[in-house]
């Protein structure tokens, strides 16, 4: 049977060519490449899934979870970098930060927007790996549109998938990094919550902690946030966040759940954690879910040591689909080009069969 979940995609997303990552000071090829989305889309087409165009959302809606100053920087960074001649001297063909307003540097003082373009990147970027080139802004903005379109579709038709690139789940209100610029899943959650008129949950199964949504909705119980990921305490990105002790604050206390797993954890315990995320969504009163679908927990992925199989991802889809709730699925990580497509297809097939079992 062909897949029936609609796939939202926008060609413009290919325009983001990070040109590698600066990691420990060395420019490495990087893994968040345009080919990822091409492979996923091709696999979904082969599986018979129908396509949908992304609709352009109003800026006020799409960008509401981000600091307008950061948004302005992301939009203008590349042209400012070129205007300043940095592509010639020192000869850097992407926007790369070099100085960060670390709390140990600035303390409690307000953090200004620095005059120098070279310093401005570090005002909003928390790592050296998330580079900006000529097509980055347009692609990141289109990824948001795809996520919002999928959420709007899910609210009406039950389920939709956004083939988003660049990914978004590491981006906070006022900082980008981890190959992410704008938080696609957060934008989708806002849309789904407003469309359904009640609380929703973001359930993040990417191999890395969904620190962006955790931060954006930290004190907001209307978007519960849960994440299963490789234990940052075992030495994995994002290193400083993603511990089980992080549970939200104020009105959002208890509305954040982190489930860190040891490196090498395979399908069994990973699926138990996905089931726990599903229970958490229920206890948070979520009337809909956004699945932050990274497939980088799969064995063979270059960015994570979790050893989940395609059957594991199918099982996760079944659990998530089994909730029987309106479901927007948003693509996050997944870097093995030879398997990324089949992993996404397996997950979506699982979601479909879970929804059938739930009587939807
Ligand atoms: C969206 C997403 O999955 N972002 C994760 C980015 C994690 N990047 C961490 C990079 C750490 C350096 N990787 C070096 C790999 C060497 N084999
Ligand atoms: Zn990841």
């Amino acid at each position: 049977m062909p897949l029936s979940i609609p796939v939202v995609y926008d060609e413009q997303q290919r325009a983001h060519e990070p040109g590698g990552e600066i990691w420990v000071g060395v420019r490495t090829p990087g893994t968040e490449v345009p080919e990822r989305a091409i492979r996923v889309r091709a696999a979904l087409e082969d599986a018979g899934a129908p396509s949908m165009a992304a609709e352009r959302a109003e800026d006020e809606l799409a960008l509401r979870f981000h600091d307008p100053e950061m948004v302005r920087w992301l939009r203008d960074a590349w042209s400012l970098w070129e205007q300043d001649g940095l592509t010639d001297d020192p000869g850097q063909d992407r926007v790369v930060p070099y100085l960060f307003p670390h709390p140990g540097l600035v303390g409690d003082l307000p953090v200004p927007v620095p005059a120098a373009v070279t310093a401005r990147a570090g005002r909003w970027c928390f790592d050296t790996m998330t580079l900006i080139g000529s097509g980055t802004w347009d692609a990141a903005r289109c990824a948001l549109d795809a996520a919002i379109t999928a959420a709007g579709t899910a609210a009406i038709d039950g389920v939709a998938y956004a083939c988003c690139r660049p990914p978004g789940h590491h981006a906070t209100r006022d900082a980008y990094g981890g190959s992410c610029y704008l938080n696609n899943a957060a934008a989708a959650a806002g849309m789904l919550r407003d469309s359904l008129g009640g609380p929703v949950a973001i359930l993040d199964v990417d191999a890395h902690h969904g620190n962006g949504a955790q931060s954006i909705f930290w004190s907001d119980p209307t978007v519960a946030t849960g994440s299963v990921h490789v234990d940052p305490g075992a030495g994995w990105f994002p290193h400083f966040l993603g511990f089980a002790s992080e549970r939200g604050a104020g009105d959002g206390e208890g509305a954040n759940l982190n489930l860190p797993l040891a490196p090498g954890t395979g399908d069994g315990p990973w699926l138990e954690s996905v089931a726990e995320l599903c229970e958490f969504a229920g206890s948070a009163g979520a009337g809909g879910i956004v699945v932050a679908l990274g497939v980088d927990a799969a064995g063979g992925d270059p960015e994570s040591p979790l050893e989940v199989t395609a059957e594991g991802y199918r099982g996760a889809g079944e659990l998530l689909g089994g909730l029987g709730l309106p479901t927007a699925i948003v693509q996050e990580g997944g870097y093995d080009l030879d398997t990324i497509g089949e992993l996404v297809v397996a997950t979506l097939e699982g979601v479909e069969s879970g929804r059938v079992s739930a009587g939807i």
Side-chain angles (χ1 to χ4, degrees):
M1 263 220 317
L3 261 181
S4 63
I5 297 177
V7 173
V8 188
Y9 180 71
D10 188 312
E11 292 277 324
Q12 187 95 49
Q13 294 179 161
R14 294 186 195 181
H16 170 51
E17 293 186 12
E21 305 179 337
I22 312 290
W23 188 58
V24 298
V26 177
R27 193 159 185 158
T28 60
T31 48
E32 206 294 284
V33 293
E35 184 71 13
R36 296 176 59 243
I38 294 167
R39 296 283 182 107
V40 170
R41 186 146 185 265
L44 289 167
E45 269 179 1
D46 286 350
S51 306
M52 272 182 78
E55 274 169 47
R56 165 76 19 164
E58 296 292 330
D59 278 353
E60 295 71 43
L61 180 85
L63 300 168
R64 62 180 148 161
F65 296 119
H66 292 291
D67 178 354
E69 289 285 352
M70 178 177 87
V71 169
R72 191 185 350 217
W73 165 250
L74 288 172
R75 185 180 285 149
D76 298 343
W78 174 249
S79 52
L80 291 168
W81 194 263
E82 267 197 316
Q83 272 166 34
D84 260 27
L86 293 156
T87 48
D88 295 324
D89 178 12
Q92 179 51 270
D93 67 357
R94 295 293 187 280
V95 176
V96 184
Y98 90 101
L99 179 72
F100 302 88
H102 190 285
L105 176 65
V106 297
D108 295 333
L109 294 172
V111 181
V113 175
V117 169
T118 48
R120 230 174 283 172
R123 173 67 181 78
W124 291 289
C125 189
F126 57 74
D127 65 30
T128 60
M129 304 181 299
T130 309
L131 312 188
I132 294 177
S134 61
T136 300
W137 166 256
D138 285 338
R141 185 65 183 76
C142 284
L144 269 189
D145 286 329
I148 292 168
T149 302
T153 305
I156 297 164
D157 296 336
V159 59
Y161 165 79
C163 186
C164 287
R165 183 188 165 270
H169 77 147
H170 295 305
T172 68
R173 198 187 107 76
D174 54 9
Y176 65 98
S179 303
C180 302
Y181 303 85
L182 298 168
N183 199 309
N184 307 316
M191 178 70 177
L192 194 61
R193 176 193 63 188
D194 295 355
S195 304
L196 298 174
V200 298
I202 298 176
L203 304 181
D204 188 321
V205 301
D206 185 280
H208 305 98
H209 174 229
N211 63 285
Q214 166 173 303
S215 166
I216 289 169
F217 300 112
W218 184 248
S219 9
D220 182 351
T222 70
V223 180
T225 47
S227 179
V228 56
H229 46 264
V230 61
D231 186 359
W236 291 85
F237 189 90
H239 301 281
F240 301 101
L241 294 148
F243 299 94
S245 54
E246 298 154 20
R247 302 190 64 253
D251 290 345
E253 190 165 354
N256 184 76
L257 177 68
N258 286 334
L259 301 173
L261 294 174
T265 298
D267 286 354
W270 186 74
L271 284 168
E272 279 168 32
S273 296
V274 175
E276 208 175 315
L277 291 183
C278 292
E279 276 166 38
F280 165 73
S283 58
I289 58 169
V290 172
V291 179
L293 176 60
V295 293
D296 46 4
D301 192 281
E303 297 288 350
S304 108
L306 295 175
E307 295 287 339
V308 175
T309 67
E311 286 316 297
Y313 270 99
R314 184 185 306 278
E318 281 169 12
L319 291 166
L320 294 159
L323 288 169
L325 296 172
T327 301
I329 304 159
V330 173
Q331 186 66 41
E332 300 287 355
Y335 305 100
D336 178 21
L337 293 175
D338 290 335
T339 56
I340 185 171
E342 65 202 60
L343 289 164
V344 172
V345 168
T347 311
L348 299 200
E349 285 174 351
V351 169
E352 281 199 1
S353 83
R355 289 175 70 79
V356 169
S357 307
I360 304 267

